[in-house]
Amino acid sequence: MNIIKLFLIVSLIANIAYTKTVAIIGIWPLPSLMSFWTDATLVYIPKASYNAMEHSLVHKYRPAYKNAKVGNGENLEELLALNADVYICGVSNMKICNGLKRAGVNVIELTTNINQHNSKKTLEHWLFALSKDFSLQEKNQQLLDYITQIETLIAKQTKNLPKPKAMIIHRIDKDNITSGIFNHYLITSSGAENPWGYQQTMRISLEEIYKNDPDIIYISNFTPTMPQDLLESKEWQNINAVKNKRVYKLPLATYRPFAPSLDLGVTLLFMAKHNHPDVFKDIDLDKEYQQYFKNFFGITLDHTDLHRIFNPSANAGILN
């Protein structure tokens, strides 16, 4: 074998083996998204992301995140010492973002607020920003088209129906209840009414919840609170959703789906089926998740996986 052919073979092997190293600062859903959507090697992730990954399907199917450094208080010098190919930085971490840019490294800046925290538009912003460094254009569009098809299906099927009042509990810390910034999109796009409307921040008192009296309550995976906690609480007993036992924990597949995630389409189906059980009685959520994971990730979910998705651990809500 001559030296030119040997060089070409070695180069080809090196290119196949090489994946870009990525450090993620501040955007909690991104490590899970990168794990399922790219071939990136994660070298730094937020601690709140790590905990979600430990209690989701990332743990089983994309375990390489365990090799990443995990932290909360990012130090610029420590981040630069990682010598990552790509630094993904949330605009809320402006000081770190600016420091990284001044250092001349490759930075992708992302925001969580596109079109009043529209989950699909925010996810679209993330996906196409990542396309600068990863070949994602075709499958990005396929995923967004899939979400759009689900939005359209739900809108069509519920167009002339009365909308149940729904709320999403983002976190509960004693008497401090937050509904969060992405609740309006998720509620309205899944065929329900949000009695609070869109707000940038949402701290809600129990008195306000009684006043609006939601028919359905969803609990995010950003809190250890479980449906049984509300169903057994004397304080919540006279709220319509509790009286009728329509309190649900959001599923957890690739990431906590209250935030924008790759699971957005199937999350909308989950909520639509609970908002309008008669209308969507023919939707089999097990099959929808299995088909989704097979089509987009080449993964065949088993019964244990499905049980884990629909019965997420309370510990996934621990953020520190």
Side-chain angles (χ1 to χ4, degrees), residues 150-158 189-191 268-269 272 280:
I150 291 173
E151 288 176 325
T152 303
L153 170 69
I154 294 169
K156 182 179 179 181
Q157 295 289 88
T158 63
S189 297
S190 62
L268 291 177
L269 283 178
F280 297 104

Side-chain angles (χ1 to χ4, degrees), residues 157-220:
Q157 295 289 88
T158 63
K159 182 178 179 180
N160 298 315
L161 298 178
K163 303 292 192 295
K165 292 186 292 184
M167 73 170 293
I168 302 174
I169 293 174
H170 180 215
R171 299 184 194 177
I172 296 183
D173 180 16
K174 295 182 180 178
D175 295 328
N176 182 17
I177 304 166
T178 61
S179 189
I181 52 181
F182 293 106
N183 63 326
H184 189 65
Y185 168 85
L186 291 170
I187 291 170
T188 57
S189 297
S190 62
E193 172 195 347
N194 176 15
W196 283 270
Y198 169 75
Q199 296 183 37
Q200 283 269 19
T201 58
M202 183 81 76
R203 293 196 175 193
I204 304 174
S205 66
L206 196 56
E207 290 76 12
E208 287 180 84
I209 297 173
Y210 267 96
K211 179 181 177 181
N212 285 310
D213 199 17
D215 302 301
I216 303 163
I217 295 174
Y218 296 99
I219 304 172
S220 87

